[in-house]
Amino acid sequence: MPEGSKEIRADHIRKIQNTEVEITDKNYDNTVKEVKELCEKDPNGIMIQDTAWEGYEKIPGWIIKGYGLIVDDFLHQMKEKPTHIFLQAGVGSLAAGIILGLEERMKPEELPVITIVEPETVACYYLSAQKADGKRHHLEGLTKTMMAGINCQTPSITAWPIIRDSAKFYGTLSEDIDAEGMARLGHPLEGDPKVVSGESGAAGFAYVYEILSNPALAKDRAELGLDQNSRIIVLSTEGNTDPDNYHKIVDENNPF
């Protein structure tokens, strides 16, 4: 696991069949490279990773296709098709999988408006969209965010073209906005169910909640085409994987 990973998350994995887990002194990209080297040295080594590069594309491609099955779940539950979907992205495989899943199950004119959401400190898709040269771009240095599951500095080679050709908007959110989203899910309005969603899991919702609830963002709402008739999909991709931080944000600092 990359530098900055919480020990409690490593412990959760260690409990699965006594798995060996090491937190490195490297960022996500370089940790992936280290694991790749370890697998190449082991005659029985198999690397299962959802980010792809030249020569390593088959397994990430399978993972992307697997993510697409999530679309069946929410389309089955909805009486009407979604108008908007907000997808948090690390290397982008989840977002790409959902996009492909939508495109396989809906007519082009039915597809929702797709927005990619990233932490403001680690936004390689936002950067790539800003560059607007059709290429994926890498963020340098050691990046930090409490949204550890999407602390990724390079778009996956298999996910990038899917997202590039389908997403209409790219947005970033701060730690404070993310925390507010977590707390809102944990302390919902009367009649709504409580959702326990961790830092990375709540990112898509937190972004939408800020857009919809902040009066200063009326222009952003209009640009996104959000109104009282919108049918919005967000995905919670993580539960309470860091209990101390979750309790601090959702219970101790709860603004609701």
Side-chain angles (χ1 to χ4, degrees):
M1 299 178 72
E3 183 178 20
S5 298
K6 295 291 183 72
E7 275 293 337
I8 191 163
R9 290 189 170 115
D11 286 339
H12 288 160
I13 300 171
R14 290 185 181 108
K15 291 176 182 177
I16 303 171
Q17 298 181 342
N18 295 317
T19 301
E20 292 184 24
V21 180
E22 175 190 348
I23 297 176
T24 73
D25 59 357
K26 303 176 177 66
N27 64 14
Y28 177 83
D29 286 15
N30 288 326
T31 299
V32 170
K33 289 178 182 177
E34 181 177 326
V35 174
K36 174 177 177 287
E37 292 168 1
L38 288 170
C39 285
E40 289 172 346
K41 292 175 183 177
D42 188 334
N44 298 311
I46 300 173
M47 184 158 188
I48 301 175
Q49 166 62 241
D50 71 346
T51 190
W53 53 86
E54 294 287 349
Y56 182 74
E57 298 159 325
K58 182 182 288 186
I59 290 176
W62 290 341
I63 293 172
I64 285 176
K65 286 184 178 294
Y67 280 136
L69 295 175
I70 297 170
V71 177
D72 282 332
D73 284 342
F74 63 72
L75 288 183
H76 177 72
Q77 295 175 56
M78 299 181 74
K79 294 180 180 179
E80 297 181 81
K81 291 181 172 63
T83 60
H84 296 76
I85 187 163
F86 293 80
L87 298 166
Q88 55 266 44
V91 299
S93 291
L94 169 70
I98 299 300
I99 291 169
L100 284 184
L102 289 165
E103 292 176 347
E104 289 172 356
R105 292 160 176 81
M106 299 173 69
K107 298 175 182 177
E109 64 272 18
E110 295 175 333
L111 290 170
V113 174
I114 298 164
T115 301
I116 301 299
V117 178
E118 298 170 282
E120 64 181 7
T121 54
V122 199
C124 57
Y125 276 92
Y126 190 91
L127 173 65
S128 299
Q130 278 186 317
K131 296 284 187 181
D133 58 5
K135 300 176 182 178
R136 60 195 184 112
H137 290 271
H138 168 77
L139 288 165
E140 299 293 340
L142 184 63
T143 53
K144 292 185 178 181
T145 173
M146 72 175 182
M147 292 168 261
I150 49 177
N151 184 356
C152 305
Q153 295 166 244
T154 307
S156 170
I157 195 172
T158 51
W160 162 244
I162 297 168
I163 292 173
R164 177 196 62 200
D165 297 344
S166 300
K168 187 171 183 180
F169 297 102
Y170 298 81
T172 65
L173 75 163
S174 67
E175 308 266 285
D176 288 344
I177 297 302
D178 189 50
E180 186 174 359
M182 292 170 62
R184 179 78 280 178
L185 288 171
H187 300 277
L189 297 172
E190 186 176 352
D192 284 347
K194 176 180 178 178
V195 178
V196 177
S197 191
E199 297 85 350
S200 301
F205 170 81
Y207 183 87
V208 176
Y209 184 76
E210 177 67 9
I211 291 286
L212 293 177
S213 62
N214 189 337
L217 299 178
K219 289 184 178 179
D220 299 87
R221 287 196 295 276
E223 188 173 358
L224 286 162
L226 291 170
D227 58 29
Q228 68 272 21
N229 297 312
S230 298
R231 296 179 295 278
I232 302 168
I233 290 288
V234 294
L235 303 180
S236 176
T237 53
E238 174 186 64
N240 180 8
T241 60
D242 183 356
D244 290 342
N245 195 48
Y246 181 86
H247 175 69
K248 180 180 179 181
I249 288 172
V250 175
D251 297 322
E252 293 181 3
N253 298 337
N254 168 37
F256 303 107

